[in-house]
Amino acid sequence: MTMPAGNTAYALDESRALAGTRSRRIVAFLFDYLAILVLSIPAAIVIALLGIVTLGLGWGLYAFLLPAIAILYVGFTLGGDRQATPGMRACGIRFVRLDGQPIDPVYAVLHAVLFWASVTVLTPLVLLVALFTERKQTLHDYLLGTVAVRRRG
């Protein structure tokens, strides 16, 4: 099965396109969430100062800090031109949609939210789905019609 022109130049079923994507996704995940933690430090300082000025009311924003930064991070990186987060780029992978359309920021955020919801509700064992799907897709990839492939070059 080949993808429409413009999304990828090689077949998804080609073993080279999918080789090593599961392990690369794990490393990319760790890299990206370390980056999100680092990005949250300046925001946490701003919230701390805001909490002091508002006599503690601003500290309630800490509950939204990491989710908000993660959503922005994924939306702007995975939903950007390169179709990959910085961690994915470092690991040599990117996402493609099976329908050939590019991943836009809203679709990227939906992908991340569905990942977190499936892991939270169904436990991390749901990620074992990738061991049994033809294209090494996790449950949220399968539901959204996305697949991780190796970058060309």
Side-chain angles (χ1 to χ4, degrees):
M1 165 187 233
T2 59
M3 293 297 295
N7 205 344
T8 185
Y10 53 92
L12 286 178
D13 294 328
E14 184 179 322
S15 63
R16 196 176 66 158
L18 301 172
T21 55
R22 281 189 296 252
S23 57
R24 289 169 185 257
R25 284 181 76 173
I26 292 168
V27 174
F29 172 83
L30 295 173
F31 178 91
D32 288 328
Y33 280 89
L34 178 62
I36 289 168
L37 287 175
V38 169
L39 290 171
S40 70
I41 292 170
I45 293 169
V46 170
I47 291 173
L49 296 174
L50 184 64
I52 292 169
V53 171
T54 61
L55 302 175
L57 292 176
W59 292 330
L61 294 174
Y62 279 122
F64 305 102
L65 178 66
L66 285 176
I69 290 175
I71 285 171
L72 291 170
Y73 182 88
V74 170
F76 284 111
T77 59
L78 184 58
D81 293 338
R82 296 183 183 178
Q83 305 288 271
T85 63
M88 292 170 67
R89 287 194 306 263
C91 292
I93 58 175
R94 67 186 182 96
F95 268 104
V96 295
R97 286 176 52 173
L98 296 177
D99 63 5
Q101 299 297 314
I103 297 175
D104 60 20
V106 173
Y107 204 87
V109 169
L110 180 61
H111 187 271
V113 169
L114 194 55
F115 164 73
W116 284 111
S118 67
V119 169
T120 301
V121 173
L122 302 172
T123 76
L125 295 177
V126 73
L127 299 176
L128 294 176
V129 171
L131 296 174
F132 304 103
T133 56
E134 181 181 351
R135 294 186 180 115
K136 302 179 183 184
Q137 295 167 288
T138 57
L139 180 63
H140 59 287
D141 294 332
Y142 188 78
L143 293 174
L144 289 174
T146 59
V147 64
V149 295
R150 293 184 69 162
R151 279 194 336 217
R152 198 137 202 192

